[in-house]
Amino acid sequence: MENKKLLSMTGFSRLSVQHAWGTMNLEISSVNHRYQEISVRMPREFSSFEPLIISKMRSMIGRGKIRASVEILWNPEYKMVTIDSALLTGYWKQLRRTAEEIGSDQDIHLTSLLNLPGVCDTPRDRNGNIENEVVEAIISKLTELIDSLTEMKIIEGNILAKDISLQLESFSNIIDLIDEEWQSVLPEALAAMHVRLEKFLSEAAQGVSADPARIAQEIAIMSDKWDISEEIVRSRSHIDKFREMMAIETCTDNKKCDIKTESTGIGRKLDFLIQEMNREINTMGSKMQNARLRWRVVEAKACIERIREQIQNID
């Protein structure tokens, strides 16, 4: 069987990269969620690239509520505004001529001309490819960022796996105890059923009408009420399947884990299986009259609930 690593949906990663144009800070966090939900927060000037970043991330990450953020700290030379003196002078002369032509004596302040097209710009404005360069830098670091996130999810997954395995072992032990104790009270249950059958037969012998079909139905009902052998067999089958799906080789050196072969989507399968296990134990509880056995059912349901809580955070 191929070794798998259980992934938690909880993780965090951060990268900081220096470039000629400034510092790029990338962050990504993930928490548990029923589906895959990705959102990206970027500087306003790069907001049009958000769908592209989300599309790249969608194929690289599993289930969960994922939040990514991009921060760009521009170097001073990329923030400093440059004034085009020649263009500003040209605007000013044109406005002076126009003012003379229309006979206006209103003063023309240079500061009022700074917002005219081309008067002020930054290196980012002059370099039309800077946006694409920044986006390419972000995409090139996505794999490293998500790999780091996955390493943390593996660590969390190992912790979850250990706790789930302990709870599953406890549940299995309780099923064994239920089986053992049920076998000990089985003669008592059979005797009770025998008494009820004798009552039906006695009524028939005394002339009381007893429908054979009703007697057969009553026997089937009584048998089903006390017999939990099928539920025990199915519970053990579910436990074996759970262990098979949890065939995990925990990674002791998380930096060397092959994150490309992680097991994703196992959380939903385990959640479905735990529902089936809960259904079987509930059926046992409804059939049992013995107080000790009913307490075993309570213990088993407590184990199932603890497992369910942990499964909610598995990818």
Side-chain angles (χ1 to χ4, degrees):
M1 181 183 300
E2 181 184 355
N3 289 325
K4 299 174 289 185
K5 303 179 187 70
L6 202 67
L7 294 182
S8 167
M9 280 190 281
T10 302
F12 175 82
S13 178
R14 190 177 193 276
L15 286 178
S16 183
V17 187
Q18 299 288 336
H19 291 276
W21 34 264
T23 302
M24 178 178 68
N25 295 322
L26 304 177
E27 284 188 5
I28 186 170
S29 63
S30 175
V31 296
N32 67 325
H33 194 267
R34 188 174 182 181
Y35 305 106
Q36 184 192 68
E37 181 182 302
I38 301 176
S39 65
V40 176
R41 181 169 56 86
M42 303 180 69
R44 183 179 302 175
E45 60 266 36
F46 298 101
S47 59
S48 61
F49 294 96
E50 286 184 12
L52 173 62
I53 303 300
I54 291 175
S55 176
K56 294 288 184 181
M57 293 176 59
R58 197 172 298 281
S59 61
M60 301 167 65
I61 202 165
R63 196 161 57 109
K65 181 177 287 187
I66 299 101
R67 298 288 179 265
S69 66
V70 179
E71 180 186 33
I72 304 297
L73 303 176
W74 298 100
N75 285 336
E77 59 269 25
Y78 278 79
K79 295 174 61 177
M80 186 175 60
V81 174
T82 302
I83 299 175
D84 190 327
S85 300
L87 187 59
L88 178 61
T89 302
Y91 279 132
W92 184 79
K93 289 181 177 179
Q94 289 185 47
L95 288 172
R96 286 292 303 271
R97 285 196 299 268
T98 302
E100 291 175 358
E101 291 173 0
I102 63 177
S104 173
D105 58 355
Q106 185 175 357
D107 292 337
I108 301 174
H109 298 284
L110 291 179
T111 54
S112 65
L113 308 181
L114 295 179
N115 290 327
L116 291 174
V119 174
C120 296
D121 65 2
T122 65
R124 285 180 286 162
D125 298 322
R126 293 191 297 274
N127 186 352
N129 296 324
I130 192 65
E131 287 188 355
N132 291 332
E133 183 180 337
V134 172
V135 172
E136 288 175 2
I138 295 170
I139 293 176
S140 69
K141 288 296 178 179
L142 272 183
T143 299
E144 182 179 347
L145 184 71
I146 294 175
D147 284 356
S148 178
L149 173 73
T150 306
E151 289 175 6
M152 183 174 178
K153 292 171 71 174
I154 290 172
I155 295 173
E156 294 288 330
N158 288 344
I159 296 172
L160 291 177
K162 292 176 182 177
D163 186 66
I164 290 173
S165 296
L166 288 174
Q167 297 301 330
L168 186 64
E169 188 64 28
S170 296
F171 178 78
S172 179
N173 292 336
I174 293 171
I175 294 298
D176 290 340
L177 288 173
I178 289 175
D179 188 14
E180 179 182 338
E181 293 175 7
W182 176 70
Q183 294 292 340
S184 68
V185 301
L186 186 56
E188 179 184 342
L190 288 171
M193 187 176 71
H194 184 69
V195 170
R196 297 195 61 179
L197 286 175
E198 284 186 338
K199 180 180 178 182
F200 275 111
L201 294 175
S202 176
E203 289 177 350
Q206 294 174 9
V208 179
S209 176
D211 184 2
R214 183 188 169 194
I215 295 176
Q217 183 182 21
E218 189 69 19
I219 294 172
I221 292 173
M222 285 189 294
S223 175
D224 185 61
K225 281 184 177 179
W226 60 261
D227 188 6
I228 61 170
S229 58
E230 291 184 2
E231 286 75 15
I232 290 175
V233 170
R234 284 196 293 267
S235 292
R236 284 174 171 158
S237 175
H238 293 330
I239 292 170
D240 290 341
K241 184 61 179 177
F242 205 103
R243 284 171 173 160
E244 178 185 334
M245 295 170 66
M246 288 271 294
I248 304 158
E249 179 180 300
T250 55
C251 188
T252 55
D253 187 351
N254 292 287
K255 293 184 177 181
K256 296 181 180 178
C257 287
D258 182 6
I259 62 175
K260 302 301 183 183
T261 61
E262 304 310 319
S263 174
T264 57
I266 192 175
R268 289 184 180 180
K269 297 176 183 177
L270 292 176
D271 186 58
F272 173 79
L273 191 55
I274 205 69
Q275 291 180 40
E276 294 300 308
M277 294 164 67
N278 189 60
R279 185 177 293 110
E280 299 298 344
I281 203 68
N282 280 336
T283 303
M284 291 186 204
S286 67
K287 289 183 176 184
M288 294 174 180
Q289 301 302 320
N290 183 279
R292 187 170 66 254
L293 286 174
R294 292 178 71 87
W295 179 248
R296 295 296 186 195
V297 168
V298 173
E299 292 177 328
K301 292 181 71 172
C303 286
I304 286 176
E305 187 57 32
R306 286 192 288 267
I307 294 173
R308 189 202 305 275
E309 290 176 0
Q310 298 291 43
I311 286 175
Q312 299 306 310
N313 201 37
I314 295 176
D315 189 356

